[in-house]
Amino acid sequence: MARIRWLTYLMFLMFAMTSESVGVIIPSVIREFGLGMTAGGAFHYATMSGIALAGVLLGSMADRFGRKPTILAGLALFGLSASLFAWVSSFGLFLVLLFVGGLAVGIFKTAALALIGDISTSTRAHTATMNVVEGFFGIGAIIGPAIVAYLLSHDASWKWLYLIAAALCGLLMILAWRVPYPPVQAKTDSAPMADMLAMMRNRYALAFSSGIMLYVGVETAIYVWMPTLLAGYAGPGWQWAAYALSIFFILRVIGRFAGLWLLERFNWTAVLASCGIAILVCFALAIFGGRPMAVMSLPLSGLFMSVLYPTLNSKGISCFPKPQHGAISGVILFFTCVSAVVAPLAMGLIGDYFGDAIYGFYLATLFAAVLAVGLVLNMIFDPVSGELAKRGALDYRA
């Protein structure tokens, strides 16, 4: 199982290297092609659109064809799209490659999420593993922007990042081919789209997907638009502005590994409610204090965001039987990426309309407020505890 774990860790790390670098790449793309914030943000929207489409249409592949073939297919497509960046110089073709890469990520990521359930022995272990996996995602989110910053500082093209990712993808394909996979009974009793539509109507799937959509709307404000918000800032704390995104990602990694400690000692609903309130405070400080406060409070929010996504994702998946983990992962991934497209797009439109990126953060603060209220209500009423206990008794063995 150790090799399976490392395979999932490294797949998430590789994906994060590219997806979490867009905030650093977008300013260069805007300058290179003479774009506005809304058009430049398409560099992010294209990938997320591909992941969303793959999640809802291809999410059940891992349940029907097996984890190994699905992971290999996704990695192969991702490696191909990333390697083609070396031969493309058109903004439109960049978007095509990013969309295809997003489709690939949606394929192998849903299989990887299902695989986490296969190797977990309890719902608590599932949540712990998800936090570690997302911790490695956070490490990739540090490495990717650092590589881009190094390339740009040496007058090299940011496209080298995708070639590095393609090479790493090739190594992961070898690992994915050679590791042994735990046996899982294939699901063949209904059509793939029927599986996805049934998931879309399930109250647990909708509840967790809604929470994740709000969270993603808050997080994308940071890694998509915070670099633009702080670009050229010269006020108090200006020396931190250049490193704000890196600080955010570092704190998010620290928080995700620290989340293991918290979740072992406290109820997960209380942990998430506390973090949701802290995130709202960070965004409110940025709104009312302006850039001098935003340069400190927005990166700090990464510490509190860290535990939210993997825990919500894990608990949502754990409400379903293991043979359906691919499908529910695809549904959650779909809603994740819809938010990752719509939320920063709306923020970009607001920023363009009012002429300042700070106005987009008003919308992000609203998302943070609704999320905080939802997490507090979840702590008070705890509506999924019975379902998690039932699934744990049926699907996991100590």
Side-chain angles (χ1 to χ4, degrees):
M1 293 301 101
R3 284 183 287 173
I4 289 287
R5 291 180 186 276
W6 278 103
L7 173 63
T8 57
Y9 298 160
L10 294 176
M11 281 193 293
F12 275 69
L13 183 148
M14 177 201 65
F15 160 51
M17 284 174 56
T18 55
S19 68
E20 305 296 278
S21 296
V22 292
V24 184
I25 294 174
I26 284 174
S28 297
V29 173
I30 288 176
R31 288 193 300 270
E32 182 179 350
F33 294 98
L35 306 173
M37 286 177 59
T38 305
F43 227 72
H44 171 72
Y45 316 143
T47 299
M48 293 300 120
S49 298
I51 298 175
L53 191 61
V56 74
L57 296 180
L58 306 174
S60 61
M61 280 181 62
D63 297 332
R64 296 179 171 277
F65 304 113
R67 314 315 194 203
K68 180 177 181 177
T70 306
I71 287 174
L72 286 172
L75 288 175
L77 185 59
F78 183 87
L80 176 63
S81 64
S83 62
L84 289 176
F85 269 84
W87 310 99
V88 170
S89 58
S90 161
F91 182 71
L93 291 178
F94 284 148
L95 296 184
V96 171
L97 291 180
L98 289 168
F99 177 78
V100 172
L103 287 174
V105 170
I107 292 171
F108 74 70
K109 188 175 180 180
T110 51
L113 291 171
L115 193 57
I116 292 169
D118 299 341
I119 63 176
S120 298
T121 57
S122 67
T123 56
R124 180 180 290 270
H126 188 280
T127 301
T129 301
M130 282 294 295
N131 273 273
V132 176
V133 166
E134 291 293 340
F136 276 86
F137 181 91
I139 293 173
I142 296 170
I143 295 173
I147 291 174
V148 174
Y150 177 84
L151 291 169
L152 296 178
S153 67
H154 289 75
D155 296 322
S157 174
W158 51 264
K159 293 192 291 185
W160 279 102
L161 173 70
Y162 289 88
L163 298 180
I164 294 169
L168 181 56
C169 189
L171 296 176
L172 286 177
M173 288 185 66
I174 297 173
L175 179 60
W177 177 264
R178 294 180 60 85
V179 298
Y181 292 75
V184 177
Q185 183 178 358
K187 192 178 190 318
T188 58
D189 57 345
S190 60
M193 283 309 298
D195 288 345
M196 305 309 291
L197 291 174
M199 287 291 180
M200 291 284 192
R201 294 191 296 268
N202 185 279
R203 58 177 177 170
Y204 296 116
L206 290 175
F208 281 101
S209 296
S210 298
I212 286 174
M213 285 184 74
L214 288 167
Y215 165 78
V216 171
V218 174
E219 186 189 50
T220 52
I222 300 292
Y223 72 81
V224 175
W225 294 125
M226 185 176 69
T228 304
L229 174 69
L230 299 178
Y233 173 68
W238 64 268
Q239 62 271 28
W240 298 106
Y243 305 100
L245 189 59
S246 296
I247 293 170
F248 169 80
F249 286 140
I250 290 170
L251 290 177
R252 195 176 63 172
V253 170
I254 293 172
R256 278 179 175 162
F257 288 110
L260 295 175
W261 184 88
L262 287 172
L263 292 168
E264 286 176 357
R265 289 161 176 79
F266 303 98
N267 187 284
W268 69 274
T269 60
V271 173
L272 296 197
S274 301
C275 290
I277 293 170
I279 292 167
L280 176 58
V281 171
C282 289
F283 273 72
L285 287 173
I287 292 298
F288 292 109
R291 284 176 174 80
M293 187 61 72
V295 75
M296 303 297 293
S297 68
L298 290 181
L300 179 63
S301 68
L303 188 62
F304 308 112
M305 287 189 196
S306 55
V307 74
L308 260 66
Y309 182 78
T311 304
L312 287 173
N313 206 353
S314 169
K315 298 306 181 185
I317 293 171
S318 294
C319 285
F320 295 85
K322 286 188 177 184
Q324 293 181 322
H325 278 193
I328 180 57
S329 297
V331 169
I332 292 176
L333 192 59
F334 168 75
F335 284 104
T336 297
C337 295
V338 167
S339 181
V341 172
V342 175
L345 174 60
M347 293 172 206
L349 288 169
I350 293 171
D352 278 342
Y353 182 80
F354 289 103
D356 194 324
I358 190 63
Y359 292 102
F361 280 82
Y362 281 78
L363 179 61
T365 304
L366 176 62
F367 291 154
V370 178
L371 176 63
V373 170
L375 292 174
V376 170
L377 292 175
N378 179 63
M379 178 185 67
I380 294 172
F381 296 105
D382 197 8
V384 299
S385 58
E387 187 66 23
L388 289 173
K390 182 178 75 173
R391 287 265 62 91
L394 290 174
D395 285 351
Y396 297 93
R397 300 292 181 267

